Amino acid sequence: MPLSRRHALQALGLAAAGSTAIGKGWSKEAQQLRQELEVCSPSGDTFTWMLERNKVFSKAWQRSIQASNPQERIQIKQAIFDASCHINPQALAQGQRPWAALLSCADARVAPEWLFGAGSGELFQVRVAGNSAFNDGIASLEFAVAALEVPLIVVMGHSGCGAVAAAMGSEPLTPLLEDLVQPIRASLQPNDDLTQAIQGNARYAAGQLVKRSQVLADAQASGKVKIQPAFFDIQSGRVSAV
């Protein structure tokens, strides 16, 4: 008998965790592995915790403006990780239990681990120029929710996004870039400036996740996952809800 979609995703989750299954009713070793993989998971509201962690990054980001050389800047930023949590690599070799998933832009200035002071195994990431809800990205987030049980998906745009600017412009693009910006164009509103368009695109992509995925729609309806659109301002280093 073929696996149902739900059971297929669960099977993939167990495969991703390695040979040791993770979940209720499994072995003592599996439960211990789960605890090790969740050692850095926040308590309370996950997005609120992310914003608090981002404040630490933002302060370091602003301090680094005054630094005179790259070495000083990296020392300032390193303090973010010195104050954060890190999962045992031996546990990560056997599985993952990320506490949030992100759909964010591929822009080189947008590095979620830095923005939220997170280490390996904490953030499940899908990145594409313009942070749009593309098919493979939605499927990846289905895996994150159904198999890895992440409680939060953050759809994050950022200031000065080139993909959104391209979608707003009239310059000819390559055929593949035209395909990429089509969902962004669907989100645009008349008279929006670039920042408004970027924020609107994040909200639109967040809405598309549940419109185009029954797995994500059901998880949101049952309260198993929260989907939060957000905006990263590169100048200040701050992330905010939109």
Side-chain angles (χ1 to χ4, degrees), residues 37 41 87 92 95-100 113 118-124:
L37 292 173
S41 298
I87 300 169
L92 290 172
Q96 58 172 325
R97 296 290 293 181
W99 44 261
E113 288 91 352
S120 296
E122 296 187 62
L123 299 176
F124 185 95

Side-chain angles (χ1 to χ4, degrees), residues 1 10 14 25 37 40 48 58 65 70 108 122 126-127 134 138 184 190 195 208 210 212 217 220 223 236-238:
M1 177 181 293
Q10 289 175 336
L14 297 183
L37 292 173
C40 295
T48 299
S58 179
I65 294 173
E122 296 187 62
V126 176
R127 300 186 65 178
F134 62 110
I138 296 174
I184 301 174
T195 296
Q208 286 294 299
V210 293
R212 295 171 55 195
Q220 184 186 61
S236 67
R238 293 296 293 272

Side-chain angles (χ1 to χ4, degrees), residues 15-19 33 37 87-96:
S19 61
L33 173 60
L37 292 173
I87 300 169
N88 187 335
Q90 289 184 319
L92 290 172
Q94 300 179 63
Q96 58 172 325

Side-chain angles (χ1 to χ4, degrees), residues 86-168:
H86 297 278
I87 300 169
N88 187 335
Q90 289 184 319
L92 290 172
Q94 300 179 63
Q96 58 172 325
R97 296 290 293 181
W99 44 261
L102 284 98
L103 172 57
S104 59
C105 187
D107 192 293
R109 299 166 295 178
V110 181
E113 288 91 352
W114 282 112
L115 300 187
F116 303 110
S120 296
E122 296 187 62
L123 299 176
F124 185 95
Q125 299 181 45
V126 176
R127 300 186 65 178
V128 62
N131 48 272
S132 58
F134 62 110
N135 287 345
D136 291 348
I138 296 174
S140 298
L141 293 171
E142 286 184 340
F143 171 76
V145 171
L148 303 178
E149 300 179 349
V150 297
L152 173 69
I153 297 173
V154 177
V155 182
M156 187 172 68
H158 68 91
S159 59
C161 181
V164 176
M168 298 175 72

Side-chain angles (χ1 to χ4, degrees), residues 6 13 17 82 88 123 146 152 160 162 176 185-186 200 234 240:
R6 177 186 178 192
D82 290 343
N88 187 335
L123 299 176
L152 173 69
L176 291 178
R185 285 180 175 150
I234 297 173
S240 58

Side-chain angles (χ1 to χ4, degrees), residues 163-170 184-185 188 192-195 197-198:
V164 176
M168 298 175 72
S170 57
I184 301 174
R185 285 180 175 150
L188 299 177
D192 274 357
D193 61 24
L194 180 57
T195 296
I198 291 166

